[in-house]
Amino acid sequence: MNIKPLRILELTFAGLTAELKQRYGKGKYHAAAVYREVYRNGNSDFSGAYEFSKSKKFLSELEKDLVFDPGPVVRTKKEGDLVKFITRLEDGLEIESVIIPMATHKTICVSTQIGCRMGCSFCETAQLGFRRSLTVAEIVGQVYSAKFVFDLEVRNIVFMGMGEPLDNFENLIQAILVMQDPRGLDIALSHMTVSTVGKVEGIRRLAALNWPRLNLAISLNAPNNRIRSKIMPANLTDSMDRIKSALLKYPLKKKGTFFIEYVLIKDVNDSHKHAHELAQFLKPLPTKLNLIPYNPRSNSPFKPPSDEDLDRFRGWLVDEKLFVRRRSAKGRDILAGCGQLGNRQVLRLPDKENRMK
Ligand code: SAH
């Protein structure tokens, strides 16, 4: 007898088919029905599907083993049409995800861990410390909820929520495989972006998968190792030079680019000299740079840049022939902006500093 639960949110169509075969001697026909009901129709009760009308015994066995667990969405916060939603997990911990309105579609910003162990000094999530990595079902569940609880056409996914995706490598990869399954959520690899502090081992493992269509973003945030190591301790292990050589070997698609995230922090990384150093560093790499205004975290030692600071820095980079986009400060007011995810409640810490009531 099989006692291991069959977690539908962790399985590709091929994976589910293999499980049905091994466990019950069934196959594609029923897997297709389950997959369609769950992922296409948002219907976790597939007992009404015609494929099961003549296999009631199998249906009841399957219903016993199958686990469907996106977790309840327990709170939402809105700013304009940007939504932050919080999901409660089986162990009572909570995760935050953000639905970002774009011109023609929605982008979902997904968490991969509860807390984070990268320790970046400007990031709210890092201040909470690390609790645990998310399971495949918990990662996929966020996108599932965005689609069916909020009734959205989800097209893009960015792994830029809480945590470091490459610090949860296997689950991240399986979640990507599940979410891109054409019979299920059907989100193209080219519409997913993995964002990392630059964990070189993870970048190499990603490279080995040879998925040139998956987008890779590096949170660089500094023009040189001295500044970067001060604000991002991960740089002490994986310096900018190591990151650069890993990127130079990465299998990009033809005319593909890396995305570079640069959080502009007043008086830390925002001078003309910094812009020049940054441009020199990026020269050998095909990149698009996202300039993100620093969102002050709680008890922040840093100051955000003014609009003029941002425009000036951007101008210097454009003079250096870099491709630069300015990321808006959307979501700041509901603490859904970059680097603002996480609150004491999600980690069940004492309530006193809880910022999200
Ligand atoms: N750990 C991954 C995924 C998190 S993405 C990574 O670092 O890429 C979160 C993004 O928000 C990163 O680009 C990070 O540099 C940025 N960020 C963190 N704190 C921020 C803050 N206070 N204001 C603006 N951006 C921030």
Side-chain angles (χ1 to χ4, degrees), residues 10 14 24 32 57 91 106 132 134 144 241 244 289 323:
E10 310 214 329
Y24 319 100
K57 185 161 163 282
D91 56 4
K106 306 282 185 206
R132 66 172 173 87
L134 296 183
Y144 188 92
D241 325 277
K244 189 195 268 180
L289 192 134
F323 178 101

Side-chain angles (χ1 to χ4, degrees), residues 51-289:
E51 287 90 341
F52 288 97
S53 58
K54 291 198 189 109
S55 17
K56 292 294 176 203
K57 185 161 163 282
F58 167 47
L59 176 67
S60 72
E61 275 179 83
L62 186 57
E63 279 176 334
K64 247 188 276 142
D65 297 347
L66 205 99
V67 177
F68 171 76
D69 51 357
V73 172
V74 290
R75 290 190 299 287
T76 59
K77 284 242 160 181
K78 286 195 181 155
E79 181 186 318
D81 46 2
L82 182 139
V83 177
K84 167 159 100 170
F85 66 93
I86 292 160
T87 309
R88 176 156 309 139
L89 307 176
E90 256 169 40
D91 56 4
L93 296 176
E94 295 177 352
I95 41 173
E96 303 192 341
S97 324
V98 185
I99 301 167
I100 308 163
M102 306 303 273
T104 57
H105 60 271
K106 306 282 185 206
T107 292
I108 312 297
C109 179
V110 169
S111 293
T112 52
Q113 296 182 313
I114 306 178
C116 186
R117 49 182 155 209
M118 297 302 116
C120 303
S121 59
F122 48 84
C123 178
E124 182 68 28
T125 309
Q127 314 311 310
L128 300 168
F130 176 72
R131 252 324 156 83
R132 66 172 173 87
S133 282
L134 296 183
T135 64
V136 178
E138 289 164 344
I139 298 173
V140 177
Q142 297 170 65
V143 176
Y144 188 92
S145 293
K147 185 172 162 99
F148 292 111
V149 175
F150 296 92
D151 196 20
L152 298 178
E153 200 51 58
V154 178
R155 210 179 54 169
N156 287 354
I157 296 177
V158 292
F159 294 96
M160 294 186 186
M162 294 166 68
E164 165 55 41
L166 299 185
D167 192 29
N168 186 13
F169 193 86
E170 276 93 13
N171 291 353
L172 170 78
I173 296 305
Q174 179 64 13
I176 290 175
L177 287 170
V178 172
M179 293 191 290
Q180 63 122 48
D181 200 303
R183 293 204 187 226
L185 295 169
D186 193 19
I187 298 166
L189 276 187
S190 55
H191 290 175
M192 298 191 208
T193 303
V194 171
S195 181
T196 173
V197 294
K199 273 183 79 72
V200 165
E201 194 214 334
I203 295 173
R204 292 206 182 111
R205 288 175 79 185
L206 259 192
L209 292 172
N210 197 12
W211 287 351
R213 288 180 311 119
L214 178 71
N215 299 295
L216 181 60
I218 307 291
S219 297
L220 196 63
N221 299 338
N224 59 47
N225 283 314
R226 192 180 51 80
I227 297 178
R228 195 165 193 267
S229 295
K230 260 196 216 155
I231 57 176
M232 299 179 71
N235 195 65
L236 295 167
T237 326
D238 288 324
S239 67
M240 289 170 64
D241 325 277
R242 278 171 54 78
I243 296 172
K244 189 195 268 180
S245 38
L247 293 182
L248 286 169
K249 290 186 206 119
Y250 193 85
L252 270 186
K253 66 179 177 218
K254 220 171 162 192
K255 298 205 176 135
T257 54
F258 298 108
F259 293 95
I260 302 293
E261 313 287 311
Y262 194 94
V263 179
L264 197 70
I265 310 175
K266 197 169 175 60
D267 300 331
V268 172
N269 58 4
D270 63 344
S271 74
H272 194 172
K273 184 167 157 267
H274 296 152
H276 179 67
E277 263 182 303
L278 176 63
Q280 289 302 312
F281 175 78
L282 293 178
K283 222 176 211 167
L285 296 166
T287 58
K288 291 196 171 104
L289 192 134

Side-chain angles (χ1 to χ4, degrees), residues 273-342:
K273 184 167 157 267
H274 296 152
H276 179 67
E277 263 182 303
L278 176 63
Q280 289 302 312
F281 175 78
L282 293 178
K283 222 176 211 167
L285 296 166
T287 58
K288 291 196 171 104
L289 192 134
N290 282 320
L291 199 56
I292 310 172
Y294 168 62
N295 290 315
R297 63 168 177 82
S298 48
N299 309 317
S300 173
F302 303 117
K303 288 195 289 283
S306 65
D307 279 353
E308 297 76 63
D309 296 334
L310 269 167
D311 284 343
R312 201 177 45 218
F313 196 77
R314 181 171 190 273
W316 290 329
L317 295 177
V318 171
D319 291 343
E320 300 267 2
K321 309 268 178 296
L322 289 187
F323 178 101
V324 191
R325 275 188 303 213
R326 199 182 135 170
R327 184 79 72 73
S328 80
K330 260 184 209 164
R332 231 184 219 183
D333 295 349
I334 55 167
L335 300 175
C338 294
Q340 291 186 305
L341 296 186

